[in-house]
Amino acid sequence: MDKKSVAPSQDDSGKNRDDFSPKAVGHSIRKTVALKTFEIVNTHCPDLAIEESLVTDYLKENVAGTVGEVPEDFLSHAFSRSGLPHHLREDLLEQFAFASGLRFPFLGFADRMAVPIDFYTQEGDIAELCRILQTPVLQEESGCFLTLASINPLTAEALAAEIVRIFRSRSVVTPVIFPVRTGFESWQSLCRRHFAS
């Protein structure tokens, strides 16, 4: 995803397309991911029946920032609004990951990894993007590599592309970024540990 596809465009709220703040970029990514996620779910995941109005409501509430400080990934939003039993979520995540075409490795023990506090402190804008997109950094090695975790591979891919853009804009060495998937419970635990206020 390049700069133009990530950058917010002039939208209904009249925001400037050149706003590269974490909030504006994060909301732009979340909107794109929500629309793509809905398309994949509608086409390939019949067990998760969601109406188009769910996307509209999500974009109004979550992406516009009217719900609260901790946003939801659209996939999590769809799970909670669909009434899908908890025991079916993991199978559906696998089905969604396969349908997305993004074959990221699954890391079941992600929630046991240490929080990279130094990285979050040094990279405040990236830390805020991670929070907005609910995609924690699992590992970081001095600008050499980053590991990102999400239940939604589309979110992890979009965040990885934006982090690459940020590092390139600074004309510094760009880290190699490894997105991974994790289970629903593990992801929720990670987000609580990494992004609790």
Side-chain angles (χ1 to χ4, degrees), residues 109-117 120 136-140 190 193-194:
F109 59 88
D111 59 326
R112 289 180 257 158
M113 299 177 77
V115 177
I117 294 169
Y120 284 149
V137 172
L138 296 182
Q139 294 177 297
E140 176 273 334
L190 269 170
R193 286 179 51 230
H194 284 242

Side-chain angles (χ1 to χ4, degrees), residues 120-161:
Y120 284 149
T121 302
Q122 292 170 2
E123 298 292 346
D125 285 353
I126 293 173
E128 180 61 7
L129 266 175
C130 290
R131 186 193 71 79
I132 290 169
L133 298 173
Q134 296 291 282
T135 304
V137 172
L138 296 182
Q139 294 177 297
E140 176 273 334
E141 181 58 45
S142 324
C144 296
F145 74 87
L146 294 174
T147 304
L148 302 173
S150 181
I151 56 167
N152 189 335
L154 299 175
T155 304
E157 179 190 49
L159 177 57

Side-chain angles (χ1 to χ4, degrees), residues 28-162:
S28 179
I29 289 171
R30 292 176 70 223
K31 179 179 180 178
T32 301
V33 166
L35 295 170
K36 287 181 182 177
T37 299
F38 175 73
E39 183 181 313
I40 291 170
V41 166
N42 240 11
T43 307
H44 300 285
C45 304
D47 292 340
L48 184 60
I50 55 176
E51 300 292 326
E52 195 167 337
S53 62
L54 186 68
V55 181
T56 307
D57 293 344
Y58 173 82
L59 295 178
K60 280 183 193 168
E61 296 170 7
N62 277 290
V63 174
T66 59
V67 165
E69 281 302 303
V70 181
E72 276 186 294
D73 186 274
F74 180 74
L75 201 50
S76 171
H77 182 77
F79 281 172
S80 62
R81 300 302 187 274
S82 70
L84 185 76
H86 286 273
H87 70 278
L88 296 178
R89 289 181 178 182
E90 297 305 324
D91 289 341
L92 198 55
L93 285 176
E94 280 295 318
Q95 187 180 358
F96 179 83
F98 182 79
S100 75
L102 300 169
R103 306 292 195 263
F104 298 150
F106 181 83
L107 193 60
F109 59 88
D111 59 326
R112 289 180 257 158
M113 299 177 77
V115 177
I117 294 169
D118 289 343
F119 176 78
Y120 284 149
T121 302
Q122 292 170 2
E123 298 292 346
D125 285 353
I126 293 173
E128 180 61 7
L129 266 175
C130 290
R131 186 193 71 79
I132 290 169
L133 298 173
Q134 296 291 282
T135 304
V137 172
L138 296 182
Q139 294 177 297
E140 176 273 334
E141 181 58 45
S142 324
C144 296
F145 74 87
L146 294 174
T147 304
L148 302 173
S150 181
I151 56 167
N152 189 335
L154 299 175
T155 304
E157 179 190 49
L159 177 57
E162 179 57 18

Side-chain angles (χ1 to χ4, degrees), residues 154-180:
L154 299 175
T155 304
E157 179 190 49
L159 177 57
E162 179 57 18
I163 292 171
V164 166
R165 186 200 67 76
I166 289 169
F167 276 91
R168 286 185 178 156
S169 73
R170 298 176 185 167
S171 299
V172 296
V173 175
T174 303
V176 176
I177 301 177
F178 300 100
V180 298

